[in-house]
Amino acid sequence: MTASPSFLGFPDRLADERVPRAVIFGAGHGSTYRGQNSSGHASAADAIRAASQDDIPLMEHWDFDLGGPLFDGGPVCCVDAGDVLATMHDNAGNRARIEAKTREVLVLPAVPILLGGDDSVVIPFLAGFADHGPIWILQIDAHIDWRDEVHGERYGYSSPMRRASEMAHVAGMVQVGLRSVGSARIGEIEAARRYGSRFVTAREVHAQGVEAALRHIPEGARVVVTLDCDSLDPSIMPGVAARTPGGLSYTQAIDLIAGLGKRARIAGFDLVELYPPADIDGLSAITASRLVVNAIGAIVRQTG
């Protein structure tokens, strides 16, 4: 079996024992629901890596998203550590391994970048920051993901922000890109509002710009970004399980990432819910790859 290529051809370790600025790793499964027998999300990380291959010879070229080359003319300072072992229905084991990998990266210290997987991988990813708080969460998503349980499972893809609200090291969250209808009922909306979550709809971003969301993030805060691919409009991100019109544009998404990097400190980043079976001509994977590049660019440009 041929090994999958790494993201942008990144090595799995840097020469001369240098500590990387960011470590990419994938996780195909988190906590699946009873009766779920397959997951098209499991192939997402490799689809993103494959989509990045055409940009490998361009890494030193000018990137107009970033205002310069990805690494500003310096050496590559990120690594791709491959995938965490993740097995369908091994929910507790998957969570333990994702959390352990996140902690391992943070101890280096480096910024962990997780390629999911469905949204359930976000819960152990955020749990891994327990010794590195307080953190804020910037969730970019069409849905608030606040269900307490579904089919008896409390750690599934409908519950990551509910579980995050229970983590002592999470100081607050901003949820941006919300639109249309999802699994949230009145009770979930009320619970999120009682917690103090700041809702910013996609319509507000279209009308007011990304500052509608960024203004809620305290300046200088350490922030973990969790980006669900369905936050973007399906015209540019068709490869999702729940296509919903009216989503964010690519430019709005990268402006959120860049703006956050200037206002606060990106402590972690995950991209989830890419669903390759629904993709059209690889468009979603290409867009997802570019979002990850923008996250790396913002991280590399952070001072300190």
Side-chain angles (χ1 to χ4, degrees), residues 142-180:
H143 313 106
I144 67 168
D145 296 341
W146 210 275
R147 290 288 293 274
D148 191 36
E149 61 84 25
V150 175
H151 305 311
E153 176 56 66
R154 302 180 72 245
Y155 296 90
Y157 61 73
S158 292
S159 304
M161 293 301 101
R162 183 69 167 249
R163 297 287 82 83
S165 74
E166 299 163 351
M167 297 178 186
H169 59 286
V170 174
M173 67 178 71
V174 179
Q175 300 182 260
V176 56
L178 309 173
R179 66 190 190 280
S180 191

Side-chain angles (χ1 to χ4, degrees), residues 175-199:
Q175 300 182 260
V176 56
L178 309 173
R179 66 190 190 280
S180 191
V181 63
S183 67
R185 299 159 299 190
I186 292 174
E188 281 82 41
I189 297 295
E190 291 176 344
R193 285 176 170 160
R194 282 196 303 271
Y195 170 75
S197 180
R198 285 77 164 174
F199 292 165

Side-chain angles (χ1 to χ4, degrees), residues 12-75:
D12 60 1
R13 61 178 57 84
L14 299 181
D16 303 322
E17 303 300 317
R18 286 187 297 128
V19 175
R21 291 294 301 275
V23 175
I24 295 170
F25 63 97
H29 294 292
S31 299
T32 49
Y33 291 122
R34 186 174 65 249
Q36 183 179 352
N37 296 317
S38 64
S39 172
H41 297 102
S43 60
D46 282 346
I48 295 167
R49 289 178 173 119
S52 76
Q53 299 306 296
D54 288 345
D55 283 349
I56 292 175
L58 307 176
M59 273 201 295
E60 296 181 2
H61 291 209
W62 193 273
D63 189 323
F64 280 94
D65 287 353
L66 303 174
L70 178 57
F71 295 113
D72 275 336

Side-chain angles (χ1 to χ4, degrees), residues 66-282:
L66 303 174
L70 178 57
F71 295 113
D72 275 336
V76 170
C77 59
C78 299
V79 301
D80 186 340
D83 292 342
V84 173
L85 174 64
T87 305
M88 175 72 75
H89 300 316
D90 182 16
N91 292 1
N94 293 340
R95 292 196 302 270
R97 288 185 287 271
I98 294 168
E99 180 177 343
K101 185 63 179 181
T102 305
R103 289 176 177 270
E104 176 187 314
V105 173
L106 288 168
V107 165
L108 287 174
V111 175
I113 297 177
L114 170 60
L115 306 180
D118 70 46
D119 223 328
S120 67
V121 302
V122 173
I123 299 173
F125 183 64
L126 294 172
F129 287 81
D131 297 331
H132 298 268
I135 59 169
W136 274 69
I137 297 170
L138 177 64
Q139 182 205 25
I140 307 172
D141 201 321
H143 313 106
I144 67 168
D145 296 341
W146 210 275
R147 290 288 293 274
D148 191 36
E149 61 84 25
V150 175
H151 305 311
E153 176 56 66
R154 302 180 72 245
Y155 296 90
Y157 61 73
S158 292
S159 304
M161 293 301 101
R162 183 69 167 249
R163 297 287 82 83
S165 74
E166 299 163 351
M167 297 178 186
H169 59 286
V170 174
M173 67 178 71
V174 179
Q175 300 182 260
V176 56
L178 309 173
R179 66 190 190 280
S180 191
V181 63
S183 67
R185 299 159 299 190
I186 292 174
E188 281 82 41
I189 297 295
E190 291 176 344
R193 285 176 170 160
R194 282 196 303 271
Y195 170 75
S197 180
R198 285 77 164 174
F199 292 165
V200 182
T201 65
R203 181 176 288 174
E204 288 176 282
V205 175
H206 295 321
Q208 303 171 32
V210 298
E211 182 57 29
L214 294 175
R215 67 188 180 207
H216 297 295
I217 300 287
E219 292 189 15
R222 299 182 71 253
V223 183
V224 177
V225 180
T226 176
L227 193 156
D228 184 319
C229 287
D230 69 25
S231 63
L232 275 73
D233 194 77
S235 61
I236 57 169
M237 184 66 78
V240 296
R243 293 175 182 166
T244 308
L248 302 182
S249 70
Y250 171 76
T251 302
Q252 288 168 334
I254 65 172
D255 282 353
L256 278 167
I257 294 167
L260 180 66
K262 293 173 183 176
R263 179 181 181 87
R265 185 167 189 84
I266 299 174
F269 181 90
D270 69 66
L271 185 145
V272 297
E273 292 287 336
L274 176 66
Y275 190 69
D279 203 359
I280 298 174
D281 198 27

